[in-house]
Amino acid sequence: MTQTDPSVWTPPTVPEWEYPKETTERLEWADLSTIDLTSFNEPSGKKALAEQLSQAIQKDGFFAVVGHGISKDEVKRQFALGKTFFESQSNEVKRQRVVDFDDGDYFGYKAPFEKTMFGTDVKENVELLNVPKFNGFFDDDVINRIPYLNHFRSEIESFSRKSFEVARKLFVLFAIILELPENYFADQHRYEDYSDDHLRYMLYHPRPAEDDAKLDNNWARGHTDFGSLTLLFSQVVAGLQIRTETESGYEWKHIRPVDGGIICNIADALGFYSNNYLKSTVHRVLRPPDDQVGSRRLGLFYFVRPGKGSQIEIAPSPVLKKLGLYRDLPAVSGQHYVRSRVKQYHTKTTYDRNYGEKFRVGDFEIIDGYE
Ligand SMILES: O=C(O)CCC(=O)C(=O)O
Ligand SMILES: [Fe+2]
């Protein structure tokens, strides 16, 4: 039963989450490196991990992380909480705090089927809830306005902080790779700071095959992520692909689930800091294979975004200097970049292909859409 009146809200029960079955279809899988963070705090652990990661990121910018300290049960519980939110809460309750794209504000609830795609009559199919950091800045504006978040706060907060800690370790490794002070990136991304970071529950609603065909089966067009780093808790339902470079051009390859792993991808801000030495990864989501398309494709993510005070500029890294990649460009506010991108991407009545179009803030530029 859904609950309709936010003022008499009662907590739903949260059934255990069952992972969907893996596909038996033969897909072309990308070759992902796996980084085991268990040795992060051991002497010389970070250095060895940075070396491993350095190999991984110069290829595709996508890699898997294990040994991250978040148990499978904790992840399963978050999938359960996400599923129950979407299924048990009424539209009225969900809409207590919605995203505000006009302001580049991506916190709260976004309903599916509100906009069309690629100039057709087919509707975009993503429903999501973006949960900000539990650092005091967002309690009144977001967290306390959604009774579900308020009620399950302690375990969601704990998961948000643990996810962030995984990202913090990766930021340290990126700094080591670039021979920068260890906290160079971590200082621009602190849990205590105001930023557009969010934990996300995301549900794709399946569409009829003939509708998907009008969009070349795109559920999300090729793009790079807007922030600094994305953590994607392993997704069993196939569909996510990355664009990899081959000798004969580019090829899209599927991302395989990694048991207990977090799939990480570098996003635009880290690409800017490193003049794309750290590659902001191009990826897209396609309609899942026939044996999975009926299962709801529920996703769980932590999106890291630059803090409010952060300034994006090419980092004065000895590695970048040696490679001739360093430039002294005027800095751009990290938060301004992210908010401008959210606004530009989402404040339209249709999501277009925008293949090859550019999006620019100051001297920093990305490609908006990829074929
Ligand atoms: O659903 C996925 O697997 C990826 C979603 C995605 O790329 C995004 O929301 O930025
Ligand atoms: Fe993405």
Side-chain angles (χ1 to χ4, degrees), residues 200 202 204 223 225 232 235 240 283 285 297 301 303:
R200 179 185 299 176
M202 182 173 187
Y204 293 82
H223 66 279
D225 283 350
L232 182 165
Q235 168 63 268
L240 176 62
H283 55 284
V285 181
R297 191 171 186 281
F301 302 83
F303 288 87

Side-chain angles (χ1 to χ4, degrees), residues 62 106 126 128 198 200 202 204 219-221 223-226 230 232-233 235 237-241 255 265 283-285 297-301 303 305 345:
F62 253 76
Y106 212 170
V126 169
L128 60 77
H198 52 266
R200 179 185 299 176
M202 182 173 187
Y204 293 82
W219 278 11
R221 73 159 191 241
H223 66 279
T224 54
D225 283 350
F226 310 166
T230 302
L232 182 165
F233 290 85
Q235 168 63 268
V237 181
L240 176 62
Q241 291 187 314
I255 297 294
N265 72 280
H283 55 284
R284 69 179 182 186
V285 181
R297 191 171 186 281
L298 178 68
L300 175 66
F301 302 83
F303 288 87
R305 307 228 145 145
Y345 193 92

Side-chain angles (χ1 to χ4, degrees), residues 209-248:
E210 57 273 24
D211 282 353
D212 281 341
K214 294 184 193 165
L215 309 172
D216 308 320
N217 286 328
N218 275 266
W219 278 11
R221 73 159 191 241
H223 66 279
T224 54
D225 283 350
F226 310 166
S228 307
L229 187 66
T230 302
L231 310 187
L232 182 165
F233 290 85
S234 188
Q235 168 63 268
V236 176
V237 181
L240 176 62
Q241 291 187 314
I242 58 169
R243 184 172 175 267
T244 62
E245 209 171 334
T246 65
E247 275 156 23
S248 52

Side-chain angles (χ1 to χ4, degrees), residues 302-357:
Y302 190 95
F303 288 87
V304 189
R305 307 228 145 145
K308 190 169 187 177
S310 72
Q311 294 293 318
I312 299 178
E313 56 196 341
I314 300 184
S317 143
V319 174
L320 298 181
K321 287 182 179 171
K322 259 182 262 164
L323 293 169
L325 290 173
Y326 178 72
R327 310 261 182 290
D328 186 9
L329 298 179
V332 162
S333 143
Q335 193 187 29
H336 175 65
Y337 174 77
V338 168
R339 293 222 158 194
S340 307
R341 178 69 171 131
V342 169
K343 198 166 153 176
Q344 176 259 358
Y345 193 92
H346 290 288
T347 44
K348 294 180 188 146
T349 51
T350 179
Y351 289 94
D352 295 323
R353 295 179 194 263
N354 290 357
Y355 292 156
E357 285 181 29

Side-chain angles (χ1 to χ4, degrees), residues 250-262:
Y250 292 100
E251 237 176 76
W252 292 98
K253 294 212 172 142
H254 285 272
I255 297 294
R256 190 194 278 283
V258 174
D259 189 31
I262 306 175

